[in-house]
Amino acid sequence: MNRDDLADFLVRRRTGLRPADVGLPAGQRRRTAGLRREEVAQLAAMSTDYYTRLEQRRGPQPSTQMLASLARALRLTADECAYLYRLAGHDAPDRVGGGDHVAPALLRVLDRLTDTPALILSALGETLVQNDPARALFGDVSHLSGWERSGIYRWFTHPEQERAHYPAGDHDRQSRAQVASLRAAYGSMGPASRAGELARVLTRTSPEFAELWAAHEVGHRFSDHKVLLHPAIGPIEVDCQALFTEDESQVLLVLTAPPGTDAASRLALLAVLGTQAFAPEP
């Protein structure tokens, strides 16, 4: 771990960002350029003291999970993210295999979406970032680890929880869409990749998945129009827009409803109330 260069790198990137770059209000009486330490800590979901110690060259070696959070908070490019990992004494994340690094371009769009559910997914259905309305609608999945982070995995291994977000009549279509999406990742990443490993795990544990996998349906299938169920607000009809990175390794999903509709009112209620009253149990 190179504490001196790591500290210098963090300071340079922090002071090079403006609050607007990360979706924060500018506020008043900002005496220094860039973000404050506490703002970076908030964005990275870590304590200000921990982050401060890293900048002061006296912190412990960050974990790869912590580095991924810092890379998102500082809006690092893939090259900068790899450099950060190496400074901290870790191997750089595998760009092909699908790590936790989030494309800055998608994050910039997500930062501006505060009143409607939006989330960024990996090619394996892992939720990398959610905004507050998305957490209120789907639940906060930031605490999950391993394969549990993948919505594809949860769809077939915890159907009683994961499928509760969709009407029963839509389950079969969603199952096919989940498998087709994993097939697309498998085709681009190869059988020895994490996509191949996930396919093997699900083939062993879910007969439904195994049958659908054998059909060889391929494609990213995010329905343009769908109905989502919320335990307190009820059904919400939404339009789904998908924005992919160039290599299709990540996708930003944005859920909206036409202005003036009942669905728009429900989404507005969701955004106002947040996760306090309505988040489903994990």
Side-chain angles (χ1 to χ4, degrees):
M1 178 179 173
N2 187 333
R3 282 185 169 81
D4 290 340
D5 284 351
L6 176 62
D8 289 343
F9 182 68
L10 291 175
V11 171
R12 289 281 186 177
R13 291 299 171 268
R14 175 173 63 82
T15 57
L17 287 172
R18 299 169 302 171
D21 295 332
V22 296
L24 294 176
Q28 299 178 348
R29 299 181 181 179
R30 301 187 72 91
R31 297 178 180 178
T32 58
L35 299 180
R36 301 186 178 101
R37 286 173 175 168
E38 57 266 28
E39 290 171 332
V40 174
Q42 176 188 350
L43 291 168
M46 64 178 64
S47 72
T48 302
D49 177 69
Y50 182 92
Y51 178 76
T52 300
R53 283 186 287 145
L54 290 177
E55 284 199 0
Q56 292 178 344
R57 299 168 170 79
R58 57 188 181 89
Q61 182 184 36
S63 66
T64 55
Q65 292 84 357
M66 193 68 75
L67 292 172
S69 295
L70 276 173
R72 288 195 293 270
L74 295 171
R75 303 307 191 254
L76 301 185
T77 65
D79 288 335
E80 290 170 337
C81 180
Y83 182 67
L84 174 69
Y85 272 64
R86 293 191 183 101
L87 289 180
H90 293 283
D91 292 333
D94 183 1
R95 300 187 192 184
V96 177
D100 286 335
H101 178 65
V102 181
L106 294 187
L107 275 175
R108 286 194 293 271
V109 179
L110 182 68
D111 288 337
R112 289 157 175 78
L113 299 171
T114 59
D115 60 350
T116 197
L119 60 160
I120 298 175
L121 303 175
S122 74
L124 304 186
E126 297 156 312
T127 300
L128 302 176
V129 187
Q130 301 167 281
N131 66 4
D132 287 339
R135 278 187 286 270
L137 181 57
F138 296 109
D140 187 350
V141 298
S142 61
H143 64 285
L144 300 178
S145 61
W147 288 126
E148 294 288 339
R149 296 181 60 207
S150 168
I152 301 173
Y153 178 85
R154 298 194 306 272
W155 182 266
F156 291 100
T157 59
H158 306 303
E160 68 287 348
Q161 297 175 11
E162 196 68 14
R163 303 187 187 193
H165 300 298
Y166 293 86
D170 200 28
H171 289 181
D172 289 344
R173 183 172 62 86
Q174 287 296 325
S175 293
R176 292 176 60 192
Q178 298 279 14
V179 176
S181 179
L182 182 56
R183 266 290 180 192
Y186 179 89
S188 61
M189 298 166 66
S193 66
R194 292 181 66 239
E197 183 181 354
L198 178 56
R200 288 187 289 273
V201 168
L202 287 175
T203 297
R204 292 194 300 267
T205 57
S206 170
E208 179 190 8
F209 175 87
E211 180 180 354
L212 292 171
W213 186 252
H216 284 266
E217 292 190 40
V218 184
H220 298 296
R221 299 183 176 181
F222 298 106
S223 176
D224 291 338
H225 186 82
K226 63 178 67 177
V227 176
L228 295 172
L229 304 179
H230 189 276
I233 296 178
I236 309 175
E237 291 191 46
V238 296
D239 296 314
C240 179
Q241 298 296 322
L243 176 63
F244 287 89
T245 54
E246 186 175 358
D247 61 1
E248 297 190 346
S249 63
Q250 294 177 8
V251 59
L252 169 65
L253 297 184
V254 183
L255 306 177
T256 62
T261 62
D262 177 68
S265 298
R266 295 183 182 220
L267 285 181
L269 177 62
L270 194 70
V272 170
L273 296 177
T275 59
Q276 295 183 6
F278 297 117
E281 293 295 326

